[in-house]
Amino acid sequence: MTTARYRDALKYGAIWVFILVELAFFSIAGEFMSTSDKAFMDFDNMLLLLKQSAPIGIIALGMTIIMINGNIDLSVGATYALAAIVLLDSMTWPALQAMGDWAIPVAWGLALLTGAVLGAINGLIVWKTGVDAFIVTLGSMLGYRGLVFMINGEQPTSHLNWTLVDFAEAQFLGLHTATWFLLITALALWLLMTRTVHGRNAYAIGNNREAAVNAGIRVGPHMVWNFVLIGFLAALSAVVFYSESGSVNPNDGMLFELWAITAVVLGGTKLTGGYGSILSTLGGVIAIQLLRKGLGHIGAATETVNLVIGLILIAVLLLDRQLNRKGQEELKI
Amino acid sequence: MTAPIPVLRLEGIVKTFPGVRALDGVSLSVMPGEVHALMGENGAGKSTLMKVLGGIHAPDTGQIFIAEEPTVMTSPQQAKAKGVVFIHQELSLADELSVAENIFLGELPLKSFGRVDWTKLYADTDAILKTLNVGFDAKTRVGDLSIANQQMVEIGRALTVNPRAVIFDEPTASLTDAEKVVLFKVIADLQTKGVGIIYISHRMEEIFKITDRISVLRDGQYRGTLTTADTSEDEVTQLMIGRSLDLSRNTSHHALGDVALEVRGLCCGKLFHDVSFALRKGEVLGFYGLVGAGRTEIAETLFGLRTPRAGQILLNGQEVKITSPIEAIRHGISLVPEDRKHQGLVLGMNCRDNMTLPQIDDLTAGPFVSDGAEVAIFDHYRDKLDIRTPGWHQTVGNLSGGNQQKIVIGKWLSMRPQVLIVDEPTRGIDVGSKAEIHNLIRDLGAQGYAVIVISSEMPEVLHVSDRIIAMFSGRVMREFTSEEVTEDNLVQAISGIEANKFVEGR
Amino acid sequence: MAGLTKQGIGAILAKQGILIAFAIFMIGFALANQRFIAIDNISGVIRSSAILGVMALGVTFVVIGGNFDLSVGSMMSFSTIVVLDLHDKLGPALAIPAMFGLTLALGAFIGFLVGYMKLNSLIVTLGMLSAIHGLTLTWSGGKNMDIADKAGTWFSVFGQGRILGVPVPILIFLGLAVILGITLSKTPFGRKVYAVGGNGQAATFSGIPRARIVFLTYLMSSFCVAVAGLLQASRSLGSQNTVGQGMELEVLAAVVLGGASLMGGSGTIFKTVIGVLILGFIQNGLLLMGLAFYVQYVVTWAIIILAVWLDVAAKRGRLWSPTA
């Protein structure tokens, strides 16, 4: 009991400590190196940071569930792009044009449905063929991207709906619309994973799939629902982002899967499944965004962000390994 | 008063797979409150029979009766609903989840919106844990429990229904003696409640201690049921293999050579302390003790897989430092590990490649591996050890346990070791191959090899060893020559009675 | 009897499925378009596949050794940018060895982390994908890199030259494939790679230096990446920072298509070459049919999943997964 608590506190808590360290570092370093005279921990700056975390963040939250369940999804970036195109393109259809502002919920619905369907396709293939999720989603990452180009062509699609932009830029209780989506998603998924039978079974499947099967848990449907969920969330992320930006390039969303996985791993979720926390992933997402902004704040070239994040990811792994070592008595294999 | 009816009865079960008649008319009945042993060699059909009972395989012909009511089993869950519960050999627990979630895995109590009813879950779990009389609570993470307590969680699963029959599949494989006592008490409790128990095990002493009747399978055929009180180990063995297994005490004597290996005061943290012994050429030295007594860890240290905190290792009188298996091999030490599938063999590789793996650098013609040299080594040891395989290209994973073990032994004999360490040489091997491997180890001694045999099976240690070291809790308790050793003093030595200590749960 | 026939077909599919699929595919396209099997077309396909192919050769070692390498795409961008930059600063004769040295150093770093520090290769190489991308951007200052005197350098020989009429990239790709194929199948090192990937613990228990072998597979992978970078730079004599982006997954697709198990311990160089060629010919065949490059994505998706599915199905002896 105590060892588990201790380890949980360490693994899930580490990311928040890391965020505090980042905040302190960039605040202090910013005093000496910043090009602007604004403080780093400026309130507006932090609000903006949360807003900017939302697109990757919403996807990373879904990725957490997929990884706890023992799978991985490399196709989220392509799903994101496809949902964005459906969102913007559908609003130009005559049928929707005629609906006035009612076109917005319909377009949202179509985009979210697209995401859910793409997720379901991944999930069903993984379930029914028994091919590893890594390979299936590696394939659909290419395939869905191909669909993006087929529907959209090679040119960007733009459509600005000002009602939608107003909604996206609104602030409620000081937080931006995108931030609300991020926080509500986090809360909903946290409840899902800690309180519901589906969530607990997802943990059990990721932890010991054979045991779950033996206990009569239907592994397949759980997996499919989780893929539907991440497809839906990738679409939600697109909906939130493109409502404001109004323009999508067919290459958008590339490498999102890598950012999302990085955030999840920073949050302490086990790659092999069965262990992880939604809230820590939220921490991972914020930590990455903080790093991006912080490096900009202290005048580091934007190019170094990738370098630093990559190295931090590796450092986290090294640290994790050192903490888990059993010392000198360990078997050297 | 009516005669009691069997809680579970199997009648004439036949199950064929392409090319194999796995079960050939097997019948079995379990009475309420009875512990019924099911015995047979690996491949005799026990696990197929249990899969039929659990609804994983449908029988070709034959009938299952629960309380004399014909029943068709479709899945382990349905079997459980009918009161037939399985406790598996391999623990199938989710170790990141709580005890409660594991006990009710797949049947978590529901509230609205798919939520888990935690209050009910913990209350129900506490009730079950109370009947098992264990010292942990429902919220404990399973990964933090000892193996024995994890076994209790597994048993707890069986109690989420009112079971009529419980099937234990090798439940004591990884338990200490103290932990076994707890398990046997749970079984006795179930008995008094009128639950029928099928107990699958290879361990004769347990079978004779706790069971009422013994049914034996051989080659998929039912060979008979014996009343435990009226039979003997020999009779059961005869039924199982069609002849008796020679496990007589080792009485052979041949001249021993110089000291090949000497260990002085070897320590490795909590694993073992102050271990000293010497091994002569031509000698078979047995290490006997419970699981966790530190025997395997000593072997791993000698093979360079663990770093000792203190102590010396001398080979032919010269002190050596062994920091990796590569160096151990260079010094002429070989280890046949206890976990054949994970440590002994690359299961996806063929027989030849597995056998020549440690010396592949030396089997070259120019920069390339020499096919001829490899095949020559394989052929030599295939003949010498009587390895039965269609050819060297056969994938090792497809061989029987006995033949796999011979490949591992051949791999190390081909290195011409000064010291050969064999850890659990016959684990998971059928009785026929067991005898062959015993003879082989005896022969190696006679040929002048210095051999260490680590085993948890007392008859095996007594049968092959010239000298026996008894270990308890990481310490060498006593050394016996084959003349002075008796089963009694050996049991005393390894159970810590001499040290006045008790086994603690891990 | 019916059961036996089924098993026979299954076994053949399992062993030669990829070759059969390849043959059917080639015949189909050849019937649809005669030009498809013209010598110059085939040579063109191999030539354009050479860069991907060279990278796939190295990754084959890593995958058989039981690990992933997701960093090869961004590493290839790195070596391309570096060699182009140094070309004008040091001259090609020094630029090439300097680029090889730097790329091998990156490979050695990954090999150290995965081999000796025993870190999860998926995450390490994911991190390195990002880190090397950052390194490349820092090196180039975010700008495209071009050789000043494109007409006057002999550097173009690797990507554009011909020997006896055969394009140099083809010679390098196939030559490297033969050498690495022999290394993998005929040398003690190759055997150890299979052993380490098949069962790392058993390999250790057999006295095989697992960490060193894993380290060497990454070193080989980075060597192949350096060669690919050289071909890329030499072919175009100028490059964006993102030239290799996404190639890690195409490479992995080729290796998997060739039938190497991502669990390690199985696969061959020959099969990987087939995998690379299938991807190349799909692209080419669809182009010849007048379809845009992105249709190739969708077709590749279908082919990867079908190929792996057939492989998995043959191993378990049934088409659909029994998972409930």
Side-chain angles (χ1 to χ4, degrees):
Chain A
M1 189 86 188
T2 45
T3 46
R5 283 271 161 80
Y6 172 70
R7 193 192 58 164
D8 284 354
L10 203 66
K11 286 209 80 163
Y12 293 146
I15 189 67
W16 301 105
V17 175
F18 180 63
I19 288 174
L20 290 180
V21 171
E22 277 185 311
L23 281 173
F25 175 79
F26 289 124
S27 298
I28 296 166
E31 291 297 313
F32 301 100
M33 302 163 75
S34 176
T35 42
S36 82
D37 49 358
K38 260 174 86 179
F40 182 61
M41 280 211 277
D42 178 72
F43 187 65
D44 287 336
N45 206 8
M46 291 299 116
L47 284 182
L48 197 59
L49 181 138
L50 280 175
K51 179 186 172 183
Q52 289 163 339
S53 304
I56 300 273
I58 292 172
I59 295 177
L61 293 170
M63 190 71 84
T64 311
I65 297 181
I66 289 283
M67 287 172 72
I68 286 172
N69 198 193
N71 290 316
I72 201 158
D73 188 349
L74 300 177
S75 69
V76 285
T79 305
Y80 171 86
L82 197 58
I85 280 163
V86 169
L87 175 78
L88 296 185
D89 197 43
S90 66
M91 286 194 287
T92 64
W93 299 346
L96 269 75
Q97 291 269 357
M99 294 164 79
D101 277 352
W102 283 107
I104 294 173
V106 176
W108 276 46
L110 286 172
L112 296 175
L113 184 68
T114 306
V117 168
L118 294 181
I121 293 173
N122 278 335
L124 284 169
I125 295 176
V126 172
W127 175 17
K128 287 299 175 187
T129 65
V131 175
D132 196 71
F134 186 90
I135 295 180
V136 171
T137 59
L138 170 65
S140 51
M141 182 180 86
L142 277 177
Y144 293 174
R145 184 65 66 183
L147 293 179
V148 169
F149 279 102
M150 283 164 101
I151 293 173
N152 185 70
E154 293 173 44
Q155 298 309 314
T157 290
S158 299
H159 179 83
L160 272 182
N161 178 319
W162 292 107
T163 316
L164 199 49
V165 174
D166 285 344
F167 171 69
E169 285 181 345
Q171 278 173 284
F172 178 64
L173 297 177
L175 299 177
H176 297 92
T177 309
T179 309
W180 280 109
F181 273 97
L182 176 66
L183 296 181
I184 290 170
T185 306
L187 180 69
L189 295 189
W190 179 71
L191 288 172
L192 179 76
M193 292 311 279
T194 55
R195 300 290 158 86
T196 70
V197 172
H198 172 74
R200 302 318 293 170
N201 283 353
Y203 272 99
I205 292 165
N207 190 185
N208 187 341
R209 182 171 162 145
E210 211 187 321
V213 171
N214 285 339
I217 293 175
R218 296 202 60 203
V219 172
H222 280 295
M223 277 185 339
V224 173
W225 280 118
N226 287 331
F227 273 105
V228 169
L229 194 60
I230 195 174
F232 176 86
L233 289 172
L236 182 66
S237 166
V239 158
V240 169
F241 184 77
Y242 289 99
S243 289
E244 184 167 1
S245 94
S247 176
V248 56
N249 184 303
N251 277 317
D252 281 359
M254 271 202 185
L255 293 185
F256 268 31
E257 53 281 345
L258 301 183
W259 290 100
I261 293 169
T262 305
V264 175
V265 172
L266 278 180
T269 295
K270 250 197 203 170
L271 272 171
T272 45
Y275 184 84
S277 138
I278 293 289
L279 295 184
S280 298
T281 295
L282 191 61
V285 171
I286 293 172
I288 290 179
Q289 194 58 33
L290 207 51
L291 197 68
R292 277 171 178 248
K293 277 194 102 72
L295 287 172
H297 181 70
I298 61 171
T302 46
E303 294 88 46
T304 49
V305 175
N306 291 296
L307 182 62
V308 173
I309 287 182
L311 294 178
I312 284 180
L313 187 61
I314 291 168
V316 167
L317 274 192
L318 266 174
L319 194 70
D320 186 53
R321 181 182 134 75
Q322 292 307 315
L323 288 175
N324 286 331
R325 279 185 77 157
K326 294 186 187 106
Q328 214 185 351
E329 292 160 22
E330 199 176 33
L331 189 62
K332 292 186 280 189
I333 50 166
Chain B
M1 201 179 122
T2 52
I5 56 167
V7 287
L8 183 66
R9 189 159 70 82
L10 303 172
E11 176 86 39
I13 304 285
V14 175
K15 176 72 195 171
T16 50
F17 296 108
V20 200
R21 207 168 172 83
L23 292 174
D24 193 0
V26 175
S27 300
L28 186 73
S29 73
V30 184
M31 304 303 290
E34 177 190 36
V35 180
H36 194 125
L38 181 62
M39 296 194 77
E41 290 192 80
N42 292 327
K46 288 171 303 187
S47 47
T48 312
L49 187 64
M50 291 305 114
K51 281 180 179 160
V52 167
L53 186 52
I56 295 168
H57 294 322
D60 300 343
T61 61
Q63 188 61 281
I64 300 169
F65 299 89
I66 293 175
E68 289 301 299
E69 202 166 299
T71 309
V72 177
M73 296 292 192
T74 55
S75 74
Q77 287 72 49
Q78 184 244 14
K80 186 172 181 180
K82 302 225 177 248
V84 179
V85 195
F86 295 83
I87 291 164
H88 294 280
Q89 173 183 10
E90 314 260 319
L91 291 173
S92 64
L93 297 168
D95 57 7
E96 295 288 356
L97 300 187
S98 68
V99 167
E101 286 175 289
N102 268 286
I103 286 184
F104 285 91
L105 195 65
E107 12 182 75
L108 294 173
L110 267 171
K111 285 198 297 193
S112 55
F113 303 113
R115 287 177 302 158
V116 178
D117 187 345
W118 295 104
T119 324
K120 178 168 162 47
L121 175 66
Y122 289 135
D124 290 354
T125 306
D126 283 337
I128 288 171
L129 293 180
K130 208 169 172 191
T131 64
L132 289 173
N133 199 14
V134 290
F136 53 87
D137 73 22
K139 292 179 185 170
T140 313
R141 197 184 73 106
V142 162
D144 291 339
L145 295 175
S146 69
I147 301 284
N149 280 335
Q150 291 186 3
Q151 187 105 46
M152 287 301 156
V153 174
E154 189 90 26
I155 292 168
R157 272 185 189 169
L159 306 181
T160 59
V161 291
N162 270 330
R164 295 167 194 270
V166 180
I167 292 99
F168 287 88
D169 189 358
E170 299 258 14
T172 57
S174 48
L175 297 190
T176 64
D177 275 3
E179 292 165 344
K180 279 182 203 167
V181 172
V182 180
L183 174 72
F184 293 157
K185 189 174 171 305
V186 171
I187 292 178
D189 284 348
L190 288 171
Q191 261 184 296
T192 54
K193 288 181 192 155
V195 176
I197 287 157
I198 296 180
Y199 191 87
I200 301 173
S201 176
H202 288 292
R203 302 192 180 197
M204 287 286 186
E205 41 173 310
E206 288 168 14
I207 298 277
F208 277 84
K209 198 164 160 188
I210 67 165
T211 67
D212 301 305
R213 288 192 296 165
I214 302 170
S215 287
V216 177
L217 297 182
R218 173 158 37 113
D219 301 331
Q221 290 179 334
Y222 172 69
R223 287 281 154 175
T225 299
L226 307 163
T227 304
T228 310
D230 304 335
T231 183
S232 66
E233 291 191 16
D234 208 40
E235 194 179 359
V236 176
T237 310
Q238 288 238 16
L239 268 186
M240 276 168 62
I241 63 172
R243 62 190 162 80
S244 42
L245 176 68
D246 175 23
L247 274 177
S248 59
R249 295 279 289 275
N250 175 25
T251 50
S252 73
H253 291 283
H254 51 265
L256 300 181
D258 298 333
V259 172
L261 169 74
E262 192 178 350
V263 171
R264 292 182 192 155
L266 205 62
C267 296
C268 187
K270 282 180 272 180
L271 300 171
F272 55 84
H273 334 268
D274 198 18
V275 170
S276 301
F277 62 90
L279 172 67
R280 289 174 175 280
K281 287 180 180 151
E283 185 178 34
V284 179
L285 177 61
F287 271 79
Y288 184 63
L290 298 169
V291 173
R295 308 160 303 164
T296 297
E297 289 77 5
I298 292 174
E300 285 164 349
T301 307
L302 291 174
F303 198 57
L305 286 161
R306 291 181 192 274
T307 315
R309 291 257 173 94
Q312 292 174 297
I313 300 168
L314 294 90
L315 281 169
N316 300 318
Q318 295 281 323
E319 183 172 359
V320 290
K321 286 262 177 279
I322 303 170
T323 56
S324 70
I326 301 166
E327 278 178 48
I329 292 167
R330 198 177 298 140
H331 284 119
I333 297 175
S334 290
L335 171 66
V336 176
E338 70 178 324
D339 186 344
R340 189 166 55 241
K341 291 196 167 132
H342 294 113
Q343 301 173 335
L345 294 165
V346 183
L347 291 177
M349 263 189 169
N350 66 40
C351 297
R352 181 198 70 181
D353 293 3
N354 262 292
M355 196 181 274
T356 56
L357 203 50
Q359 53 178 322
I360 192 69
D361 278 330
D362 301 326
L363 299 177
T364 49
F368 303 121
V369 174
S370 157
D371 243 30
E374 277 198 284
V375 173
I377 287 178
F378 175 78
D379 284 348
H380 179 77
Y381 287 95
R382 180 196 56 202
D383 296 344
K384 182 169 176 168
L385 303 177
D386 191 22
I387 298 169
R388 269 152 274 167
T389 153
W392 62 259
H393 39 73
Q394 179 71 27
T395 306
V396 161
N398 296 340
L399 298 182
S400 72
N403 281 312
Q404 287 183 353
Q405 186 72 322
K406 288 181 192 168
I407 300 255
V408 185
I409 293 176
K411 167 165 93 175
W412 291 114
L413 286 184
S414 72
M415 300 299 290
R416 313 203 166 278
Q418 309 255 352
V419 176
L420 176 66
I421 307 169
V422 195
D423 195 354
E424 299 289 0
T426 59
R427 176 172 288 177
I429 286 177
D430 58 277
V431 180
S433 307
K434 233 176 190 176
E436 287 181 59
I437 286 175
H438 288 159
N439 290 338
L440 180 69
I441 293 173
R442 296 286 325 136
D443 285 349
L444 290 175
Q447 288 165 29
Y449 282 96
V451 185
I452 291 176
V453 173
I454 298 170
S455 176
S456 309
E457 292 187 40
M458 190 188 290
E460 179 166 281
V461 176
L462 293 172
H463 180 60
V464 301
S465 312
D466 297 310
R467 202 151 50 89
I468 297 172
I469 285 178
M471 290 200 64
F472 169 75
S473 186
R475 287 177 190 280
V476 171
M477 301 311 295
R478 236 184 112 172
E479 220 179 284
F480 303 90
T481 63
S482 59
E483 286 86 16
E484 67 196 19
V485 68
T486 66
E487 297 196 4
D488 283 346
N489 57 24
L490 200 49
V491 167
Q492 286 195 356
I494 64 128
S495 56
I497 293 169
E498 292 184 6
N500 216 357
K501 283 187 180 172
F502 293 98
V503 185
E504 290 161 328
R506 278 190 288 160
Chain C
M1 203 49 210
L4 277 176
T5 329
K6 246 187 192 169
Q7 275 184 336
I9 293 171
I12 292 168
L13 271 180
K15 279 201 169 147
Q16 311 297 348
I18 190 67
L19 276 178
I20 294 169
F22 187 42
I24 293 172
F25 177 81
M26 292 294 283
I27 293 166
F29 270 109
L31 289 177
N33 190 333
Q34 294 290 318
R35 238 190 71 64
F36 185 65
I37 46 170
I39 290 291
D40 63 330
N41 186 51
I42 289 178
S43 149
V45 170
I46 302 178
R47 184 179 159 191
S48 59
S49 305
I51 293 172
L52 181 80
V54 167
M55 287 159 75
L57 298 178
V59 171
T60 304
F61 277 81
V62 174
V63 167
I64 292 175
N67 293 300
F68 284 98
D69 194 347
L70 296 180
S71 70
V72 289
S74 74
M75 203 189 283
M76 198 275 265
S77 305
F78 174 80
S79 31
T80 306
I81 291 294
V82 166
V83 79
L84 287 172
D85 185 42
L86 295 181
H87 178 277
D88 285 3
K89 290 179 180 156
L90 306 174
L94 281 177
I96 295 171
M99 177 274 275
F100 268 78
L102 288 169
T103 310
L104 285 172
L106 289 176
F109 181 58
I110 298 174
F112 170 76
L113 292 171
V114 178
Y116 292 97
M117 301 311 289
K118 302 183 178 69
L119 302 185
N120 181 302
S121 67
L122 190 69
I123 299 300
V124 166
T125 56
L126 194 62
M128 287 305 285
L129 183 162
S130 172
I132 297 174
H133 182 54
L135 205 58
T136 310
L137 288 171
T138 311
W139 185 295
S140 68
K143 293 188 291 288
N144 291 353
M145 200 63 76
D146 277 291
I147 287 177
D149 178 15
K150 290 192 179 176
T153 178
W154 56 266
F155 182 72
S156 60
V157 68
F158 303 105
Q160 302 172 16
R162 283 171 183 267
I163 294 176
L164 300 174
V166 186
V168 174
I170 296 187
L171 290 176
I172 291 181
F173 171 40
L174 296 183
L176 209 52
V178 170
I179 294 169
L180 293 182
I182 290 174
T183 306
L184 187 59
S185 62
K186 298 287 180 204
T187 67
F189 169 71
R191 183 73 59 81
K192 291 178 195 172
V193 173
Y194 280 106
V196 165
N199 183 348
Q201 205 180 350
T204 305
F205 271 78
S206 297
I208 288 176
R210 179 188 187 177
R212 192 194 308 159
I213 300 297
V214 169
F215 175 80
L216 287 174
T217 61
Y218 278 102
L219 212 54
M220 298 189 68
S221 177
S222 64
F223 175 81
C224 289
V225 168
V227 173
L230 179 65
L231 293 178
Q232 176 66 40
S234 164
R235 189 170 76 177
S236 52
L237 300 178
S239 174
Q240 295 180 326
N241 290 297
T242 52
V243 59
Q245 195 170 68
M247 279 185 87
E248 56 280 338
L249 296 167
E250 274 184 79
V251 164
L252 211 52
V255 174
V256 167
L257 209 52
S261 158
L262 290 184
M263 308 297 288
S266 76
T268 66
I269 288 290
F270 176 67
K271 285 180 175 174
T272 293
V273 171
I274 299 286
V276 169
L277 293 182
I278 290 180
L279 284 185
F281 278 110
I282 289 173
Q283 188 173 0
N284 176 254
L286 295 171
L287 276 175
L288 285 183
M289 286 165 73
L291 294 169
F293 70 95
Y294 41 79
V295 178
Q296 166 219 154
Y297 289 174
V298 181
V299 175
T300 308
W301 171 36
I303 289 193
I304 289 175
I305 291 187
L306 277 176
V308 181
W309 181 15
L310 281 182
D311 186 42
V312 174
K315 271 177 199 147
R316 71 173 165 238
R318 55 204 285 189
L319 190 59
W320 299 102
S321 161
T323 304

